[in-house]
C-alpha cells in the first residue's frame, strides 16, 4: 500500500494539475489507473465497492465511470495507516 500511495503522489497527471492550478485539486480517475494505484484486480475492486469498503464510482457517460482521485487517495492512506 505504501508503494501505491507513492505512485499516486508521483502520478504525472496529478503533478501537472497541481502545477497548473497551484493546488492538488480533485480529478477523475478511470478504471485502469485506479487498478494500478490500488494494486487490486477489477473483481476485487467491485467487490469492495459493493461492500462499501471502497469509494463508489461516478458515472461520467453512458458507458463510462470514474473515481474521485481524492477519495482513492484517502482510501490508500487509510490502508497504509492500518485503518
Amino acid at each position: 500500500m505504501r508503494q501505491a500511495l507513492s505512485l499516486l503522489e508521483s502520478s504525472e497527471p496529478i503533478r501537472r494539475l497541481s502545477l497548473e492550478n497551484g493546488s492538488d485539486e480533485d480529478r477523475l480517475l478511470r478504471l485502469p489507473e485506479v487498478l494500478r494505484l490500488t494494486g487490486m484486480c477489477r473483481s476485487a475492486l467491485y467487490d469492495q465497492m459493493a461492500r462499501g469498503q471502497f469509494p463508489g464510482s461516478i458515472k461520467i457517460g453512458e458507458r463510462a465511470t470514474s473515481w474521485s482521485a481524492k477519495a482513492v487517495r484517502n482510501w490508500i492512506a487509510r490502508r497504509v495507516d492500518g485503518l
Side-chain angles (χ1 to χ4, degrees):
M1 283 300 166
R2 289 188 195 283
Q3 183 181 11
L5 186 57
S6 68
L7 283 172
L8 183 58
E9 290 172 350
S10 68
S11 178
E12 184 62 33
I14 291 176
R15 185 170 44 242
R16 185 172 46 247
L17 180 64
S18 297
L19 292 174
E20 290 172 359
N21 295 337
S23 65
D24 190 13
E25 294 295 322
D26 201 9
R27 69 183 194 97
L28 298 175
L29 305 175
R30 297 300 303 270
L31 180 62
E33 190 170 5
V34 172
L35 296 178
R36 182 181 64 83
L37 292 171
T38 62
M40 288 193 285
C41 65
R42 184 178 183 271
S43 60
L45 180 118
Y46 282 104
D47 182 54
Q48 287 200 20
M49 280 177 51
R51 290 187 275 139
Q53 297 175 343
F54 191 80
S57 60
I58 301 163
K59 190 109 170 117
I60 60 171
E62 187 176 320
R63 296 179 56 193
T65 59
S66 61
W67 286 260
S68 160
K70 190 178 288 185
V72 172
R73 197 170 37 249
N74 289 339
W75 180 87
I76 292 170
R78 284 193 312 272
R79 300 290 273 198
V80 169
D81 292 341
L83 301 176

